């Protein structure tokens, strides 16, 4: 008996130059379904069953391509060449100044004026079967947005288990450069169209330190700050809304959480970084990564001016971003883990999103059980 296809490819939209934007749907028997669009190599939708088995899309975005094109909001996008900010849109590399495009005040944010999120990637490989996947590629020219070196990037989205979605990114350069990629999905485990915010979501972050920032969201010229006895201590799991409005200088300057959490050093293997649990749906997201930092952004600048899926206006705290990547402004901070990439080297980024169900009434104790068919890894 022939197997049922787990991959579907279709047209999603058209760019002004006539280029076609495609969407690839990946699905598995457990009910998990990911929809990837070539524009920005973006996670356009992620359908996950709740504790009762009902599937909902749990990422913010748009139902049609026109919304992505009309205004840059990074919904589900691949970010590069450098995720987060570089101070003054400049840095020194082997004694030479690199001047970038400034698009966030005087700083460079998420790759500049036209980052990887604004590029239409090409599909280079689609895999069907028990581990359906799509691989997308983009070639960034030497000097694009000011960055040195021609950079060849590949991004692979794969359903690695009935309730697991993996993201693997690689990059190669022909000249010394800096690389820092991430995915910028906005998560709401109650459902993107549920009408609920994420302040009741319980967040755990495996970090003892975070980076304090200035008014431009650039790390202050000091070592990482301890999370202990601050609103940034998520080591034991805390509801996001519990302390987000505390009178803390870093919450004021960020208008909430918009900070890099310093993860424990790791090899190339992904390790546990964060856990997000929603009490109403029972959905639990566990994030594993090989990256040195995790940017936690509580949707502080969603202001109701954008209509997303289902015509819903997105407002502050409607979703949370958990972005694994190198620390912000690393090219200007030799005391931070490096983001340097040389010819002959391969940049590797691995992130795994694993979904489980919370045991009834046990979200506060961090107990969880695998969804039916979960891999248990």
């Amino acid at each position: 008996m022939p197997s049922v296809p787990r991959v579907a490819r279709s047209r999603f939209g058209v760019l002004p130059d006539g280029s076609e934007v495609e969407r690839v749907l990946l699905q598995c028997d457990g009910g998990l379904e990911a929809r990837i669009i070539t524009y920005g190599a973006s996670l356009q939708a992620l359908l996950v069953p709740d504790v009762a088995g009902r599937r909902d899309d749990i990422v913010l975005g748009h139902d049609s391509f026109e919304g992505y094109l009309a205004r840059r909001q990074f919904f589900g996008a691949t970010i590069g060449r450098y995720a987060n900010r570089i101070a003054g849109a400049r840095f020194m590399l082997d004694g030479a100044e690199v001047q970038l495009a400034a698009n966030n005040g005087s700083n460079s944010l998420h790759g500049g004026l036209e980052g990887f999120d604004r590029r239409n990637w090409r599909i280079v490989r689609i895999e069907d079967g028990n581990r359906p996947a799509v691989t997308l590629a983009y070639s960034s020219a030497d000097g694009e947005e000011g960055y040195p070196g021609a950079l060849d990037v590949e991004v692979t989205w794969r359903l690695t288990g009935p309730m697991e979605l993996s993201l693997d990114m690689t990059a190669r350069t022909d000249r010394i450069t800096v690389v820092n990629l991430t995915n910028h999905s906005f998560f709401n485990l109650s459902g993107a169209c549920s009408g609920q915010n994420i302040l009741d979501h319980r967040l755990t972050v495996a970090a003892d330190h975070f980076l304090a920032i200035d008014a431009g969201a650039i790390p202050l010229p000091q070592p990482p700050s301890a999370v202990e006895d601050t609103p940034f201590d998520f080591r034991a799991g805390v509801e996001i809304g519990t302390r987000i409005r505390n009178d803390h200088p870093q919450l004021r300057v960020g208008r909430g959480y918009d900070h890099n959490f310093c993860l424990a050093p790791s090899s190339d293997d992904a390790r546990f970084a964060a856990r997000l649990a929603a009490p109403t749906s029972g959905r639990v997201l566990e994030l594993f990564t090989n990256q040195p930092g995790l940017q936690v952004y509580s949707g502080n600048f969603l202001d109701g001016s954008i209509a997303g899926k289902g015509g819903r206006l997105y407002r502050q705290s409607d979703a949370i971003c958990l972005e694994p990547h190198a620390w912000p402004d690393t090219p200007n901070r030799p005391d931070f883990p490096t983001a340097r990439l040389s010819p002959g080297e391969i940049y590797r980024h691995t992130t795994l999103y694993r979904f489980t169900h919370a045991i009834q009434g046990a979200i506060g104790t961090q107990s969880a059980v695998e969804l039916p068919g979960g891999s248990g890894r």
Side-chain angles (χ1 to χ4, degrees):
M1 182 177 178
S3 60
V4 177
R6 297 167 184 253
V7 178
R9 182 174 180 174
S10 61
R11 173 171 164 166
F12 188 68
V14 180
L15 286 162
D17 66 1
S19 302
E20 185 174 80
V21 176
E22 293 187 89
R23 180 167 68 179
V24 176
L25 183 151
L26 310 174
Q27 54 189 338
C28 61
D29 292 338
L32 187 66
E33 181 178 312
R35 301 172 186 173
I36 315 300
I37 60 173
T38 54
Y39 188 72
S42 303
L43 181 62
Q44 186 262 331
L46 183 59
L47 280 67
V48 181
D50 66 9
V51 72
R54 174 188 168 185
R55 294 200 315 166
D56 282 303
D57 186 2
I58 62 162
V59 293
L60 270 55
H62 299 284
D63 295 315
S64 64
F65 176 60
E66 288 72 22
Y68 292 93
L69 190 62
R71 184 168 168 182
R72 190 184 190 191
Q73 289 289 310
F74 309 111
F75 291 133
T78 296
I79 306 297
R81 284 190 193 190
Y82 199 94
N84 215 309
R85 294 166 177 83
I86 295 179
R90 59 170 298 281
F91 60 93
M92 301 298 294
L93 186 63
D94 291 347
E97 181 178 86
V98 176
Q99 183 65 55
L100 307 173
N103 66 319
N104 186 242
S106 61
N107 305 317
S108 177
L109 172 66
H110 291 337
L113 297 170
E114 295 290 328
F116 290 0
D117 60 295
R118 301 289 283 183
R119 308 295 180 174
N120 196 27
W121 295 52
R122 64 187 186 277
I123 297 173
V124 296
R125 187 166 56 256
I126 290 178
E127 302 170 55
D128 207 331
N130 292 330
R131 290 162 53 91
V134 58
T135 298
L136 306 102
Y138 176 67
S139 295
S140 176
D142 180 24
E144 183 176 282
E145 295 294 320
Y147 287 94
L151 192 76
D152 292 319
V153 186
E154 286 196 353
V155 169
T156 298
W157 292 96
R158 182 185 302 276
L159 299 184
T160 52
M163 284 298 139
E164 288 184 354
L165 173 66
S166 70
L167 171 61
D168 291 295
M169 298 189 274
T170 62
R172 296 171 173 85
T173 184
D174 65 355
R175 182 180 167 194
I176 293 174
T177 190
V178 296
V179 180
N180 180 28
L181 309 179
T182 195
N183 177 262
H184 205 299
S185 288
F186 288 71
F187 294 100
N188 184 323
L189 299 188
S190 296
C193 296
S194 66
Q196 301 179 51
N197 61 37
I198 49 83
L199 295 180
D200 66 347
H201 286 33
R202 189 176 183 89
L203 175 65
T204 304
V205 180
D208 296 329
H209 295 83
F210 75 101
L211 297 182
I213 57 175
D214 64 18
I218 298 296
L220 294 172
Q222 63 187 41
S225 301
V227 301
E228 190 170 1
D229 297 325
T230 77
F232 294 84
D233 191 351
F234 288 98
R235 292 174 296 180
V238 179
E239 285 189 3
I240 296 167
T242 301
R243 300 177 301 200
I244 196 170
R245 290 180 173 83
N246 283 17
D247 187 13
H248 187 282
Q250 281 298 302
L251 292 177
R252 288 201 302 269
V253 75
R255 295 178 60 176
Y257 296 107
D258 192 7
H259 295 76
N260 177 82
F261 285 76
C262 307
L263 303 176
S266 173
S267 64
D268 285 339
D269 295 331
R271 77 288 195 199
F272 174 76
R275 183 177 187 271
L276 189 66
T280 54
S281 68
R283 295 185 184 95
V284 178
L285 164 61
E286 292 180 317
L287 187 151
F288 301 79
T289 187
N290 67 345
Q291 294 301 291
L294 181 73
Q295 187 79 9
V296 175
Y297 170 55
S298 53
N300 314 325
F301 295 93
L302 297 174
D303 60 4
S305 62
I306 294 292
K309 294 173 179 176
R312 174 173 169 78
L313 295 178
Y314 292 144
R315 298 190 182 277
Q316 189 177 58
S317 300
D318 273 353
I320 186 169
C321 299
L322 302 172
E323 307 162 57
H325 56 54
W327 298 3
D329 201 30
T330 284
N332 288 312
R333 295 291 299 268
D335 54 323
F336 286 0
T338 184
R340 180 186 176 106
L341 184 69
S342 300
E345 297 177 341
I346 302 177
Y347 166 91
R348 298 185 186 277
H349 173 130
T350 297
T351 293
L352 176 72
Y353 306 95
R354 184 176 71 183
F355 294 94
T356 61
H357 280 161
I359 296 174
Q360 185 69 29
I363 282 191
T365 63
Q366 301 291 288
S367 298
V369 62
E370 289 276 298
L371 287 168
S375 71
R377 57 176 281 186

